Amino acid sequence: VARSLQSRGVRALGIANRTFERAAELAAELGGMALHYDHWCGALDDSDIIISCTAARGRVLSAPDLAPMLPARADRPLFLLDLAVPRDFDPALNDLEGVYLHDLDSLQAIARQGMAGREGEIARCEELISAHLEEFAQWLRLRTSSHRARAEAQP
């Protein structure tokens, strides 16, 4: 996910892990900054996207935890991406102003919408190609019959 974000222009990555050593390894590999797991919430002011995928038994972030931190963000939106099963983020986070929560289910719905849109475009393209093929076939028939007529007219 981090590499994908970097390929789309993300310039700074903060990486937290259960062990700081693993966070440091990943940060070195990806050109990011390692964060102690217990201190990742301190990076929320500077973050635009938070991605979580833990094996935690409970919620990692709830609406009451995040709400007091939002005024310091100066009206910048915060995108939360929850890739964990069970979920790391409280669904009530989506109710906070300027917070946009997506989980695997909502990402799947977005992917289905995108696929449906592409399938509609494919059908439109096939119709366009079919019309042009018919036009070309008609032109070819006229050209062939014109050449035959000239060939038969020559002595």
Side-chain angles (χ1 to χ4, degrees):
V1 171
R3 283 188 186 94
S4 178
L5 290 170
Q6 285 176 321
S7 74
R8 287 163 175 81
V10 168
R11 294 181 309 270
L13 290 172
I15 299 171
N17 196 289
R18 283 179 295 232
T19 66
F20 184 75
E21 293 76 23
R22 182 63 180 137
E25 283 176 35
L26 288 169
E29 182 182 327
L30 298 167
M33 178 180 70
L35 304 170
H36 286 275
Y37 185 78
D38 294 339
H39 300 119
W40 71 267
C41 281
L44 280 173
D45 289 354
D46 298 322
S47 301
D48 295 320
I49 302 169
I50 306 289
I51 301 165
S52 183
C53 186
T54 73
R57 292 191 178 136
R59 302 281 187 211
V60 173
L61 185 62
S62 69
D65 294 334
L66 182 61
M69 297 179 212
L70 293 177
R73 297 187 51 76
D75 296 325
R76 285 185 6 256
L78 177 63
F79 295 89
L80 302 174
L81 183 57
D82 189 349
L83 303 178
V85 177
R87 303 288 179 246
D88 284 339
F89 295 147
D90 179 2
L93 288 162
N94 229 353
D95 298 331
L96 297 175
E97 185 71 30
V99 176
Y100 303 92
L101 171 62
H102 289 285
D103 59 23
L104 292 173
D105 296 328
S106 66
L107 292 174
Q108 187 174 30
I110 291 168
R112 273 195 299 267
Q113 272 183 318
M115 181 66 81
R118 286 190 299 278
E119 286 172 353
E121 289 300 308
I122 289 170
R124 203 171 71 94
C125 289
E126 286 173 343
E127 289 172 13
L128 192 61
I129 291 168
S130 181
H132 284 291
L133 277 174
E134 182 55 40
E135 190 178 303
F136 176 74
Q138 189 175 16
W139 172 83
L140 192 57
R141 282 191 297 272
L142 287 172
R143 183 175 161 90
T144 303
S145 69
S146 172
H147 281 294
R148 277 194 201 128
R150 271 188 264 156
E152 290 172 2
Q154 289 182 356

